[in-house]
Amino acid sequence: MKLSEIKTQLKQLKTIGFQLPNGELVAPHFHVTEVGRIQKDFIDCGGKVRSESVINFQLWEEEDYNHRLHPEKLLNIIEMSEKIFDFEDLDIEVEYQGKETIGKYSLDFDGTNFLLTSKLTACLALDACGIPAKKPRIKISDLQHNSCTPGSGCC
């Protein structure tokens, strides 16, 4: 989800809910403790220099059960951050600490809740790092039976 998309959704909501990949909701008394841009400059395993930027939201919960972040308040925080940091319309990454460690999630929306979706890692230089390409799997039953005839030299 892009920054412009969350702003559009927030304008239409009365309450904010974030749902974890396992279906559980983040406690309704969460705080958004940070809104910022994260810039990552790196070299992949193939030696190519790369750069990535995301808008980062950090969710946090404490035992102040009377706290509720309303959509217009989060929208104000986002807009203030945009003015100060001159944000581009980048993808949003959400940090949320579950029971043991901080997870980083992509963001989606189902019409009611913002969905924290799992992020995956992958090699960005498959052609340079020595991982062989996957061979297509073929069922023997799908092969034509007359594709190799005696004397054709195929065997």
Side-chain angles (χ1 to χ4, degrees):
M1 172 176 281
K2 300 268 187 203
L3 188 61
S4 60
E5 294 172 282
I6 194 170
K7 288 170 53 180
T8 299
Q9 298 304 333
L10 287 170
K11 290 175 185 175
Q12 300 171 21
L13 293 175
K14 293 188 191 310
T15 61
I16 306 171
F18 286 92
Q19 185 174 333
L20 295 162
N22 66 5
E24 291 179 28
L25 290 173
V26 171
H29 56 275
F30 72 90
H31 294 249
V32 174
T33 59
E34 296 178 9
V35 174
R37 177 181 42 231
I38 294 179
Q39 175 76 29
K40 178 179 166 185
D41 299 314
F42 60 100
I43 298 174
D44 68 23
C45 63
K48 183 175 180 181
V49 174
R50 296 181 183 263
S51 182
E52 295 177 355
S53 294
V54 294
I55 301 299
N56 180 265
F57 291 3
Q58 186 180 75
L59 303 184
W60 178 70
E61 26 180 296
E62 188 51 57
E63 295 178 10
D64 64 338
Y65 299 107
N66 295 322
H67 177 89
R68 298 290 186 273
L69 181 64
H70 296 282
E72 63 275 4
K73 175 72 173 180
L74 180 53
L75 188 57
N76 287 338
I77 294 168
I78 292 169
E79 289 174 346
M80 182 173 42
S81 299
E82 282 181 302
K83 289 177 187 171
I84 292 170
F85 299 116
D86 193 28
F87 286 162
E88 300 168 46
D89 191 24
L90 299 171
D91 286 325
I92 297 171
E93 175 182 84
V94 178
E95 292 180 357
Y96 173 71
Q97 183 168 348
K99 292 178 173 81
E100 295 183 19
T101 188
I102 295 173
K104 291 186 177 191
Y105 302 92
S106 295
L107 192 63
D108 204 349
F109 187 68
D110 69 0
T112 303
N113 293 311
F114 291 101
L115 307 176
L116 302 181
T117 58
S118 297
K119 296 184 81 167
L120 302 174
T121 183
C123 179
L124 299 175
L126 286 174
D127 58 332
C129 70
I131 296 175
K134 291 184 179 180
K135 295 180 182 178
R137 297 185 67 103
I138 300 172
K139 291 182 182 178
I140 293 177
S141 61
D142 291 343
L143 294 175
Q144 293 180 357
H145 295 290
N146 62 357
S147 61
C148 188
T149 58
S152 68
C154 69
C155 301

